[in-house]
Amino acid sequence: MTSEPSRRPPAAWLPHPRLALLLAVLWLLLQNRFTVGGLLIGLVLGVVVAHATRSFWPQRPHIRAWGKVFAYLLRVFRDILVANLVVARLILFRPAARLEPCWIVVPLDLQWPEAIAVFAGTITLTPGTVSCDLSADRRSLLVHCLDAPDPEAMVRVLKERYEAPLKEIFE
């Protein structure tokens, strides 16, 4: 009777394969050229970083719909382009005295920390808005808006445009 050596499941030696792959691709992009050595270094760095940070990710978020992830990314890219034009128009053609900057508090329905981070990052990436603080209980996000004549409408837009799709993606 031969006993096979016990094999560790892939999750034990590579707890976050997507993270490792993403880091390897980012490494290649930073190198600005493709070489086999660069690819190998990127893969090693990706595996090492994913393994070293596994304790920071006790539960991986479950992404339910990858198609919705791509739709969300397209929406965000489009919104970034449009917001750039809007902010440029505001800065160039509207007197500063007529801008209506404000702070808004966005109540959060998101539960996963990763989803909250994506939501806050999306807000910050979109010109004209910056996410500034997350409440201690992770139930609200403080956001500064460059020009928001109707703060309640801005909260609704952020929740409908970004938070609602993230809830479908992560939860």
Side-chain angles (χ1 to χ4, degrees):
M1 187 162 145
T2 62
S3 68
E4 281 188 65
S6 64
R7 291 179 41 159
R8 296 170 74 182
W13 65 272
L14 187 57
H16 304 288
R18 289 187 200 112
L19 175 63
L21 183 61
L22 175 68
L23 291 172
V25 169
L26 288 174
W27 177 261
L28 286 174
L29 290 173
L30 288 171
Q31 296 302 309
N32 208 20
R33 63 186 171 135
F34 179 82
T35 63
V36 174
L39 175 64
L40 291 174
I41 289 173
L43 289 172
V44 168
L45 284 174
V47 169
V48 168
V49 169
H51 196 280
T53 62
R54 73 181 181 273
S55 64
F56 301 129
W57 307 68
Q59 294 178 335
R60 287 188 271 187
H62 177 67
I63 296 178
R64 292 192 304 174
W66 283 98
K68 290 184 181 186
V69 170
F70 297 116
Y72 182 79
L73 289 174
L74 288 175
R75 171 180 285 178
V76 170
F77 289 142
R78 180 193 171 281
D79 287 354
I80 289 171
L81 291 174
V82 170
N84 270 301
L85 297 173
V86 169
V87 168
R89 185 175 46 85
L90 287 173
I91 299 300
L92 294 173
F93 301 114
R94 187 183 289 182
R98 288 191 40 221
L99 289 176
E100 297 183 46
C102 70
W103 293 95
I104 60 173
V105 176
V106 180
L108 296 175
D109 296 326
L110 297 170
Q111 301 298 318
W112 286 96
E114 293 82 3
I116 295 170
V118 171
F119 182 55
T122 300
I123 290 170
T124 299
L125 283 171
T126 307
T129 55
V130 178
S131 60
C132 299
D133 192 28
L134 178 64
S135 66
D137 62 0
R138 290 194 260 183
R139 292 189 179 164
S140 61
L141 188 65
L142 181 64
V143 176
H144 183 267
C145 302
L146 176 65
D147 186 47
D150 185 0
E152 290 82 20
M154 180 60 81
V155 170
R156 279 192 309 276
V157 166
L158 292 174
K159 290 185 73 62
E160 291 169 4
R161 194 135 182 93
Y162 304 124
E163 189 184 34
L166 286 173
K167 280 180 67 174
E168 293 176 11
I169 291 168
F170 280 97
E171 297 174 5

